[in-house]
Amino acid sequence: MIYDPSNAGGAAVYDVETKEQLREVLWVDTELGEVVRAEQPLRVTVGDEFATYTTRFATIYPIRGGGLRPVLFHCYGRQEPRPA
């Protein structure tokens, strides 16, 4: 499932193995194991879109904390980028 501000606004995203909070997250795809983030410093590309990059994980778990919407995501098994 894809989570973005419309269905998981304000949720924190953590790489559990490095204990790093991932910042500037635009959306999380739990099925593909992808976290898409805005580049920093923020850069606008063609049109009005932000430049982004994707970090891939073996598994991403949404943590709901008793509610319907996720309040945080735990990411496990960071994947190294594949050579082009």
Side-chain angles (χ1 to χ4, degrees):
M1 179 164 189
I2 296 176
Y3 294 95
D4 61 21
S6 70
N7 59 3
V13 181
Y14 282 92
D15 179 337
V16 174
E17 293 161 344
T18 64
K19 298 181 176 87
E20 171 192 5
Q21 182 173 1
L22 306 180
R23 306 246 184 228
E24 311 305 332
V25 174
L26 299 174
W27 69 84
V28 175
D29 187 330
T30 56
E31 291 176 18
L32 295 178
E34 296 181 341
V35 177
V36 177
R37 300 188 273 171
E39 287 185 1
Q40 289 300 310
L42 199 57
R43 185 170 59 89
V44 177
T45 61
V46 176
D48 288 336
E49 297 194 15
F50 297 111
T52 64
Y53 65 100
T54 302
T55 307
R56 289 182 174 82
F57 293 90
T59 308
I60 301 175
Y61 293 106
I63 310 297
R64 289 185 173 77
L68 296 175
R69 297 175 140 208
V71 294
L72 93 108
F73 293 89
H74 281 177
C75 305
Y76 295 90
R78 187 184 290 239
Q79 306 292 304
E80 293 301 319
R82 293 186 186 113

